[in-house]
Amino acid sequence: MAEVGRAGISDPGALLPRGFWAAVEVWLERPQVANKRLCGARLEARWSAALPCAEARGPGTSAGSEQKERGPVLGQGSPGGGTGPTLRSGPKQGMACCELEEAQGQCQQEEAQREAASALLRDSGHPGHAEGDEGDFPAADLDSLWDDFSRSLACGNSEMLTFLTCSGAGSQPEAQRELDVVLRTVIPKTSPHCPLTAPRREIVVQDVLNGTVTFLPLEEDDEGKLKVKMSNVYQIRLSHSKEEWFISVLIFCPERWHSDGIVYPKPTWLGEELLAKLAKWSVENKKSDFKSTLSLVSIMKYSKAYQELKEKYKEMVKVWPEVTDPEKFVYEDVAIAAYLLILWEEERAERGVTARQCFVDLGCGNGLLVHILNSEGHPGRGIDVRRRKIWDMYGPQTQLEEDAITPNDKTLFPDVDWLIGNHSDELTPWIPVIAAVCLIGKSRTYPPSREASVDEKRTQYIKSRRGCPVSPPGPELSPSPRRVAAGSAGHCDGHQALDARVGCVAGAWATERGAGPQAEGPWLPGFHPREKAERVRNCADLPRGFIDQVVLQVANLLLGGKQLNTGSSRNGSLKTWNGGESLSLAEVASELDTETLRRLKRECGGLQTLLRNSHQVFRVVNGRVHIRDWREETLWETKQPEAKQSARSEACKTRLCWFFTHHPDGCALSADRCPFAHGPAELRPPRTTPRKKIP
């Protein structure tokens, strides 16, 4: 056994030990948060069990025989909602009364501590055996697996038993107690560059009273039967000493640790990276009531689909014409598309249909999500108030419309199955109303016969949010159960599902009321969609003369009031060139006139944005403004990668040198070293890259 890392934890909020178990749940359920080479994990089963006692046994004594002697009681699972055998040991016959009372008191104390710490397991909402069509594990096999492992511990593997029970850390291994056991599958990211992509199963043993979590990898024997490996076993342990908490990571047998760099990282990663994250999570008081969205789809299917789409559309990053970060937006939309494609595939299987769902993306922005979904065979269109440059690159098969949407009875989109609101901004709160459920809506939470009363509730809710008087709802308007749902508006098939095109629902409102067509008009008077031409507020649209005036004024302040030149100058001397002083943004602002400040406040970031935009002249670091010294910049650029140096060389001499023209000492660099033009004669036209069509 070896300790590969240990971290002391300050707990001013008294969150431990509960916070430790919250951190463990994150690593258990969402390991990809810490290990970026993983796609996720699937919890296949959760049950309660007991380890054999650490007392000496003869060769013929097994864990099973001792459990029989102690009188095991079969239960219905762990506090976390798991199923499977639960072994609880009763007192031996003939025990003295005082010993019995002491044992009962200890059991009650242990149960209280366990109940408090394992509340997180109940809150996580995991079933004993996970649902789904992948990785289901029969209960009989689980029992056999655990029995074989317990028998091996009782019949000679005392080192592993000691490791599991922390018998060297002051615990009492002779007292048999209940453990929480989880069977999980760890799913690596699928990548064409990584051959080790097979999911790996492991058993996780949580000893709440002892503060330990032990991870036991599984492997198949020659007969295809799962068994516990003795390599790559590690443990996370919480300990308390002299009013201080510690988390440590231990490896059972370091010489047997075989790192694959993915599921099983190097021990140093466990003792540094993972340990640091666990220590941080343990004292964070961030509880979310929202269920993970990936719980709606198979993680393995999602990982496979994401990697396939990422490989298919990776060229988008190279031809991205927008000013936004291409990697962020391309891979984000690829992830959303992969999620939707799997969700829709499962929906078609559930309903027994083959026709692919159609959709409309409200506020589609760059339109990439629409392009991917169209290219993958789903009919649909995207609508946005402003056309983007990239739209012209998609081709005619991608349907994008430039239009503003005002929430009313004419914008219910009855011809589509799904409404998508990925970046819908001010339309976001209206999409659940248009779709009638909430985040991912797959089915109706009330029968169609109640549509009239539920619609009345929706109407009253809208009125209440805009300050209109609202009559109290009648007794028939009982609230419908909340769902983690919406975006979908289904396929109108008459079942109890929003199954449904939104138009079918909208038509049903009037039909079920018997009141004829709905009154047309906006649902919220005063709603204004954003302007088609979005005004840029990053100081880029300010008049050039105004920007130049502010730049000269600030540079004059930093140079100590020296008169700046308004025409051509000379190259400066390397020894005497004046770099000026630094001033805080507040000090600079105090020297500007009221009208200038008022004009800058209309822009995002104000004065700081203008100075940062004037990159050639200023550096803004930690709220202080400096004159940029290009002698230092040139030294730094020589250390940059070749690709970045090439990009900078293409922009060389495409703009005039501000220092050559305005600085009292001229430019600190000679003309052959300065990336800017020393006079109009050196200017060269900027290089333009032709746009490519996206296949």
Side-chain angles (χ1 to χ4, degrees), residues 7-52:
I9 305 176
S10 175
D11 184 28
L15 297 175
L16 295 173
R18 182 182 178 88
F20 169 74
W21 294 106
V24 167
E25 283 295 297
V26 175
W27 177 238
L28 190 66
E29 299 177 12
R30 301 190 299 279
Q32 72 274 16
V33 176
N35 186 349
K36 302 301 182 184
R37 296 183 177 182
L38 299 179
C39 181
R42 173 184 169 86
L43 303 193
E44 301 193 47
R46 182 170 241 150
W47 73 99
S48 295
L51 289 172

Short mmCIF file of all heavy atoms in Angstrom, two decimals, residues 7-52:
data_model
loop_
_atom_site.label_atom_id
_atom_site.label_comp_id
_atom_site.label_asym_id
_atom_site.label_seq_id
_atom_site.Cartn_x
_atom_site.Cartn_y
_atom_site.Cartn_z
N ALA A 7 -4.01 15.80 1.24
CA ALA A 7 -4.33 17.23 1.25
C ALA A 7 -5.10 17.59 2.51
O ALA A 7 -6.08 16.93 2.86
CB ALA A 7 -5.15 17.61 0.01
N GLY A 8 -4.63 18.64 3.20
CA GLY A 8 -5.37 19.17 4.33
C GLY A 8 -6.49 20.08 3.85
O GLY A 8 -6.35 20.77 2.85
N ILE A 9 -7.60 20.08 4.57
CA ILE A 9 -8.77 20.83 4.13
C ILE A 9 -9.23 21.77 5.24
O ILE A 9 -9.41 21.36 6.39
CB ILE A 9 -9.95 19.90 3.76
CG1 ILE A 9 -9.52 18.88 2.72
CG2 ILE A 9 -11.13 20.71 3.25
CD1 ILE A 9 -10.58 17.89 2.38
N SER A 10 -9.40 23.02 4.89
CA SER A 10 -10.01 23.98 5.81
C SER A 10 -11.51 23.96 5.61
O SER A 10 -12.00 24.08 4.48
CB SER A 10 -9.45 25.39 5.52
OG SER A 10 -10.10 26.36 6.31
N ASP A 11 -12.25 23.79 6.70
CA ASP A 11 -13.70 23.61 6.62
C ASP A 11 -14.43 24.63 7.49
O ASP A 11 -15.07 24.28 8.48
CB ASP A 11 -14.06 22.18 7.04
CG ASP A 11 -15.55 21.88 6.88
OD1 ASP A 11 -16.17 22.50 6.00
OD2 ASP A 11 -16.06 21.03 7.62
N PRO A 12 -14.34 25.93 7.13
CA PRO A 12 -15.01 26.94 7.97
C PRO A 12 -16.52 26.83 7.96
O PRO A 12 -17.19 27.26 8.89
CB PRO A 12 -14.54 28.27 7.34
CG PRO A 12 -14.20 27.92 5.92
CD PRO A 12 -13.67 26.52 5.97
N GLY A 13 -17.08 26.24 6.89
CA GLY A 13 -18.53 26.11 6.80
C GLY A 13 -19.08 24.85 7.40
O GLY A 13 -20.28 24.58 7.29
N ALA A 14 -18.22 24.05 8.06
CA ALA A 14 -18.64 22.80 8.68
C ALA A 14 -19.40 21.91 7.71
O ALA A 14 -20.47 21.38 8.02
CB ALA A 14 -19.48 23.08 9.93
N LEU A 15 -18.83 21.74 6.50
CA LEU A 15 -19.48 20.93 5.47
C LEU A 15 -19.03 19.48 5.49
O LEU A 15 -19.62 18.64 4.81
CB LEU A 15 -19.20 21.54 4.09
CG LEU A 15 -19.75 22.95 3.86
CD1 LEU A 15 -19.29 23.48 2.51
CD2 LEU A 15 -21.26 22.97 3.94
N LEU A 16 -17.98 19.18 6.22
CA LEU A 16 -17.47 17.82 6.28
C LEU A 16 -18.08 17.09 7.48
O LEU A 16 -18.37 17.72 8.51
CB LEU A 16 -15.94 17.84 6.39
CG LEU A 16 -15.20 18.43 5.18
CD1 LEU A 16 -13.72 18.56 5.47
CD2 LEU A 16 -15.42 17.57 3.94
N PRO A 17 -18.28 15.77 7.35
CA PRO A 17 -17.87 14.89 6.25
C PRO A 17 -18.84 14.83 5.08
O PRO A 17 -18.56 14.20 4.08
CB PRO A 17 -17.78 13.52 6.94
CG PRO A 17 -18.84 13.58 7.99
CD PRO A 17 -18.84 14.99 8.49
N ARG A 18 -20.01 15.46 5.22
CA ARG A 18 -21.02 15.37 4.16
C ARG A 18 -20.47 15.88 2.83
O ARG A 18 -20.73 15.30 1.77
CB ARG A 18 -22.26 16.17 4.56
CG ARG A 18 -23.39 16.09 3.54
CD ARG A 18 -24.57 16.96 3.99
NE ARG A 18 -25.63 16.94 3.00
CZ ARG A 18 -26.60 16.05 2.95
NH1 ARG A 18 -26.64 15.10 3.87
NH2 ARG A 18 -27.53 16.09 2.03
N GLY A 19 -19.69 16.96 2.88
CA GLY A 19 -19.13 17.50 1.64
C GLY A 19 -18.20 16.53 0.95
O GLY A 19 -18.09 16.53 -0.29
N PHE A 20 -17.50 15.70 1.73
CA PHE A 20 -16.62 14.69 1.14
C PHE A 20 -17.42 13.71 0.30
O PHE A 20 -17.02 13.36 -0.82
CB PHE A 20 -15.87 13.96 2.26
CG PHE A 20 -15.13 12.73 1.78
CD1 PHE A 20 -13.96 12.85 1.06
CD2 PHE A 20 -15.62 11.46 2.06
CE1 PHE A 20 -13.27 11.71 0.62
CE2 PHE A 20 -14.95 10.32 1.62
CZ PHE A 20 -13.77 10.45 0.90
N TRP A 21 -18.56 13.27 0.82
CA TRP A 21 -19.37 12.30 0.08
C TRP A 21 -20.02 12.94 -1.14
O TRP A 21 -20.25 12.27 -2.15
CB TRP A 21 -20.41 11.68 1.00
CG TRP A 21 -19.75 10.85 2.04
CD1 TRP A 21 -19.60 11.13 3.36
CD2 TRP A 21 -19.08 9.60 1.83
NE1 TRP A 21 -18.89 10.15 3.99
CE2 TRP A 21 -18.56 9.19 3.08
CE3 TRP A 21 -18.89 8.78 0.72
CZ2 TRP A 21 -17.85 8.00 3.24
CZ3 TRP A 21 -18.18 7.60 0.88
CH2 TRP A 21 -17.68 7.21 2.12
N ALA A 22 -20.28 14.24 -1.07
CA ALA A 22 -20.78 14.95 -2.26
C ALA A 22 -19.71 14.96 -3.35
O ALA A 22 -19.99 14.77 -4.53
CB ALA A 22 -21.19 16.37 -1.90
N ALA A 23 -18.44 15.19 -2.94
CA ALA A 23 -17.35 15.18 -3.90
C ALA A 23 -17.15 13.79 -4.49
O ALA A 23 -16.89 13.63 -5.69
CB ALA A 23 -16.06 15.65 -3.22
N VAL A 24 -17.29 12.76 -3.66
CA VAL A 24 -17.16 11.39 -4.14
C VAL A 24 -18.24 11.08 -5.17
O VAL A 24 -17.99 10.42 -6.18
CB VAL A 24 -17.24 10.40 -2.95
CG1 VAL A 24 -17.42 8.97 -3.45
CG2 VAL A 24 -15.98 10.50 -2.10
N GLU A 25 -19.47 11.56 -4.92
CA GLU A 25 -20.55 11.32 -5.88
C GLU A 25 -20.25 11.94 -7.24
O GLU A 25 -20.59 11.38 -8.29
CB GLU A 25 -21.87 11.88 -5.33
CG GLU A 25 -22.50 11.02 -4.27
CD GLU A 25 -22.93 9.66 -4.80
OE1 GLU A 25 -23.81 9.61 -5.67
OE2 GLU A 25 -22.37 8.65 -4.34
N VAL A 26 -19.59 13.11 -7.24
CA VAL A 26 -19.22 13.73 -8.52
C VAL A 26 -18.23 12.83 -9.26
O VAL A 26 -18.39 12.57 -10.46
CB VAL A 26 -18.60 15.13 -8.28
CG1 VAL A 26 -18.09 15.71 -9.60
CG2 VAL A 26 -19.63 16.07 -7.67
N TRP A 27 -17.20 12.35 -8.57
CA TRP A 27 -16.22 11.48 -9.21
C TRP A 27 -16.83 10.15 -9.62
O TRP A 27 -16.44 9.55 -10.61
CB TRP A 27 -15.05 11.26 -8.28
CG TRP A 27 -13.99 10.33 -8.77
CD1 TRP A 27 -13.55 9.19 -8.17
CD2 TRP A 27 -13.22 10.44 -9.98
NE1 TRP A 27 -12.57 8.59 -8.92
CE2 TRP A 27 -12.35 9.33 -10.05
CE3 TRP A 27 -13.20 11.37 -11.02
CZ2 TRP A 27 -11.46 9.14 -11.10
CZ3 TRP A 27 -12.32 11.17 -12.07
CH2 TRP A 27 -11.46 10.07 -12.11
N LEU A 28 -17.82 9.71 -8.86
CA LEU A 28 -18.47 8.44 -9.16
C LEU A 28 -19.39 8.55 -10.37
O LEU A 28 -19.37 7.71 -11.26
CB LEU A 28 -19.26 7.98 -7.94
CG LEU A 28 -19.83 6.56 -7.93
CD1 LEU A 28 -18.70 5.55 -7.91
CD2 LEU A 28 -20.75 6.36 -6.74
N GLU A 29 -20.19 9.60 -10.42
CA GLU A 29 -21.22 9.74 -11.45
C GLU A 29 -20.74 10.50 -12.68
O GLU A 29 -21.16 10.22 -13.79
CB GLU A 29 -22.44 10.45 -10.88
CG GLU A 29 -23.09 9.73 -9.72
CD GLU A 29 -24.25 10.53 -9.14
OE1 GLU A 29 -24.67 11.50 -9.79
OE2 GLU A 29 -24.72 10.19 -8.05
N ARG A 30 -19.86 11.48 -12.47
CA ARG A 30 -19.42 12.34 -13.58
C ARG A 30 -17.90 12.46 -13.58
O ARG A 30 -17.35 13.56 -13.41
CB ARG A 30 -20.08 13.71 -13.48
CG ARG A 30 -21.58 13.67 -13.50
CD ARG A 30 -22.19 15.06 -13.65
NE ARG A 30 -21.84 15.95 -12.56
CZ ARG A 30 -22.44 15.97 -11.37
NH1 ARG A 30 -23.41 15.11 -11.13
NH2 ARG A 30 -22.09 16.81 -10.43
N PRO A 31 -17.19 11.37 -13.78
CA PRO A 31 -15.72 11.43 -13.73
C PRO A 31 -15.11 12.30 -14.81
O PRO A 31 -13.98 12.75 -14.69
CB PRO A 31 -15.31 9.96 -13.88
CG PRO A 31 -16.44 9.32 -14.62
CD PRO A 31 -17.67 10.01 -14.12
N GLN A 32 -15.87 12.55 -15.87
CA GLN A 32 -15.35 13.37 -16.96
C GLN A 32 -15.11 14.81 -16.54
O GLN A 32 -14.39 15.55 -17.21
CB GLN A 32 -16.30 13.33 -18.16
CG GLN A 32 -17.62 14.09 -18.00
CD GLN A 32 -18.70 13.28 -17.33
OE1 GLN A 32 -18.42 12.25 -16.72
NE2 GLN A 32 -19.94 13.72 -17.44
N VAL A 33 -15.69 15.23 -15.42
CA VAL A 33 -15.45 16.59 -14.92
C VAL A 33 -13.98 16.76 -14.53
O VAL A 33 -13.40 17.82 -14.71
CB VAL A 33 -16.36 16.88 -13.71
CG1 VAL A 33 -16.06 18.24 -13.12
CG2 VAL A 33 -17.82 16.80 -14.13
N ALA A 34 -13.38 15.69 -14.01
CA ALA A 34 -11.98 15.73 -13.62
C ALA A 34 -11.06 15.15 -14.68
O ALA A 34 -9.99 15.69 -14.95
CB ALA A 34 -11.78 14.99 -12.30
N ASN A 35 -11.47 14.05 -15.28
CA ASN A 35 -10.66 13.37 -16.29
C ASN A 35 -11.25 13.65 -17.67
O ASN A 35 -12.25 13.04 -18.07
CB ASN A 35 -10.63 11.86 -16.02
CG ASN A 35 -9.69 11.11 -16.95
OD1 ASN A 35 -9.20 11.65 -17.93
ND2 ASN A 35 -9.43 9.86 -16.64
N LYS A 36 -10.65 14.57 -18.39
CA LYS A 36 -11.19 15.01 -19.67
C LYS A 36 -11.12 13.95 -20.76
O LYS A 36 -11.69 14.13 -21.84
CB LYS A 36 -10.45 16.27 -20.15
CG LYS A 36 -10.51 17.43 -19.17
CD LYS A 36 -11.94 17.86 -18.90
CE LYS A 36 -11.99 19.06 -17.96
NZ LYS A 36 -13.37 19.43 -17.62
N ARG A 37 -10.45 12.84 -20.50
CA ARG A 37 -10.37 11.77 -21.49
C ARG A 37 -11.52 10.78 -21.35
O ARG A 37 -11.56 9.79 -22.07
CB ARG A 37 -9.03 11.05 -21.38
CG ARG A 37 -7.85 11.96 -21.72
CD ARG A 37 -6.53 11.23 -21.69
NE ARG A 37 -5.44 12.11 -22.08
CZ ARG A 37 -4.18 11.75 -22.18
NH1 ARG A 37 -3.85 10.50 -21.91
NH2 ARG A 37 -3.25 12.62 -22.53
N LEU A 38 -12.42 11.04 -20.41
CA LEU A 38 -13.58 10.19 -20.22
C LEU A 38 -14.82 10.89 -20.75
O LEU A 38 -14.93 12.12 -20.71
CB LEU A 38 -13.77 9.86 -18.74
CG LEU A 38 -12.63 9.10 -18.06
CD1 LEU A 38 -12.98 8.88 -16.59
CD2 LEU A 38 -12.36 7.78 -18.74
N CYS A 39 -15.75 10.07 -21.23
CA CYS A 39 -17.04 10.60 -21.66
C CYS A 39 -18.03 10.65 -20.50
O CYS A 39 -18.89 11.51 -20.44
CB CYS A 39 -17.61 9.75 -22.79
SG CYS A 39 -19.19 10.32 -23.41
N GLY A 40 -17.89 9.72 -19.57
CA GLY A 40 -18.79 9.67 -18.43
C GLY A 40 -18.75 8.31 -17.78
O GLY A 40 -17.84 7.51 -18.01
N ALA A 41 -19.75 8.06 -16.95
CA ALA A 41 -19.86 6.77 -16.27
C ALA A 41 -21.32 6.38 -16.18
O ALA A 41 -22.20 7.23 -16.11
CB ALA A 41 -19.23 6.83 -14.88
N ARG A 42 -21.55 5.09 -16.18
CA ARG A 42 -22.90 4.56 -16.06
C ARG A 42 -22.98 3.74 -14.78
O ARG A 42 -22.23 2.77 -14.60
CB ARG A 42 -23.24 3.68 -17.26
CG ARG A 42 -24.57 2.93 -17.17
CD ARG A 42 -24.73 2.03 -18.39
NE ARG A 42 -25.83 1.11 -18.23
CZ ARG A 42 -27.09 1.41 -18.54
NH1 ARG A 42 -27.38 2.59 -19.03
NH2 ARG A 42 -28.06 0.52 -18.37
N LEU A 43 -23.87 4.13 -13.86
CA LEU A 43 -24.07 3.36 -12.64
C LEU A 43 -25.08 2.26 -12.93
O LEU A 43 -26.25 2.52 -13.17
CB LEU A 43 -24.58 4.26 -11.51
CG LEU A 43 -23.69 5.47 -11.15
CD1 LEU A 43 -24.14 6.07 -9.83
CD2 LEU A 43 -22.22 5.11 -11.11
N GLU A 44 -24.60 1.02 -12.91
CA GLU A 44 -25.44 -0.11 -13.33
C GLU A 44 -26.19 -0.75 -12.19
O GLU A 44 -27.25 -1.34 -12.39
CB GLU A 44 -24.57 -1.15 -14.03
CG GLU A 44 -23.86 -0.59 -15.26
CD GLU A 44 -23.28 -1.68 -16.12
OE1 GLU A 44 -23.97 -2.65 -16.40
OE2 GLU A 44 -22.10 -1.56 -16.51
N ALA A 45 -25.65 -0.66 -10.99
CA ALA A 45 -26.32 -1.27 -9.84
C ALA A 45 -25.78 -0.65 -8.57
O ALA A 45 -24.65 -0.18 -8.52
CB ALA A 45 -26.12 -2.78 -9.82
N ARG A 46 -26.62 -0.67 -7.54
CA ARG A 46 -26.22 -0.16 -6.24
C ARG A 46 -26.89 -1.03 -5.18
O ARG A 46 -28.11 -1.20 -5.21
CB ARG A 46 -26.63 1.31 -6.10
CG ARG A 46 -26.23 1.95 -4.80
CD ARG A 46 -26.46 3.45 -4.85
NE ARG A 46 -25.23 4.19 -4.67
CZ ARG A 46 -24.98 5.39 -5.19
NH1 ARG A 46 -25.88 5.95 -5.96
NH2 ARG A 46 -23.84 6.00 -4.96
N TRP A 47 -26.12 -1.58 -4.28
CA TRP A 47 -26.69 -2.47 -3.28
C TRP A 47 -25.88 -2.37 -2.00
O TRP A 47 -24.86 -1.68 -1.94
CB TRP A 47 -26.75 -3.90 -3.81
CG TRP A 47 -25.45 -4.63 -3.90
CD1 TRP A 47 -24.93 -5.52 -3.02
CD2 TRP A 47 -24.49 -4.54 -4.97
NE1 TRP A 47 -23.73 -6.00 -3.46
CE2 TRP A 47 -23.43 -5.42 -4.65
CE3 TRP A 47 -24.42 -3.81 -6.16
CZ2 TRP A 47 -22.30 -5.57 -5.48
CZ3 TRP A 47 -23.33 -3.96 -6.98
CH2 TRP A 47 -22.29 -4.84 -6.64
N SER A 48 -26.36 -3.06 -0.97
CA SER A 48 -25.67 -3.10 0.31
C SER A 48 -25.08 -4.48 0.52
O SER A 48 -25.65 -5.49 0.10
CB SER A 48 -26.64 -2.77 1.45
OG SER A 48 -27.10 -1.45 1.33
N ALA A 49 -23.93 -4.52 1.17
CA ALA A 49 -23.26 -5.79 1.41
C ALA A 49 -22.39 -5.64 2.65
O ALA A 49 -22.32 -4.58 3.26
CB ALA A 49 -22.43 -6.20 0.19
N ALA A 50 -21.71 -6.71 3.01
CA ALA A 50 -20.82 -6.69 4.16
C ALA A 50 -19.57 -7.46 3.84
O ALA A 50 -19.59 -8.44 3.09
CB ALA A 50 -21.52 -7.29 5.38
N LEU A 51 -18.44 -7.00 4.39
CA LEU A 51 -17.18 -7.70 4.23
C LEU A 51 -17.04 -8.76 5.32
O LEU A 51 -17.60 -8.61 6.41
CB LEU A 51 -16.00 -6.72 4.34
CG LEU A 51 -15.81 -5.75 3.17
CD1 LEU A 51 -14.75 -4.73 3.53
CD2 LEU A 51 -15.43 -6.50 1.90
N PRO A 52 -16.24 -9.80 5.07
CA PRO A 52 -15.98 -10.76 6.14
C PRO A 52 -15.12 -10.12 7.22
O PRO A 52 -14.41 -9.15 6.97
CB PRO A 52 -15.22 -11.88 5.42
CG PRO A 52 -14.58 -11.21 4.25
CD PRO A 52 -15.57 -10.16 3.81
#
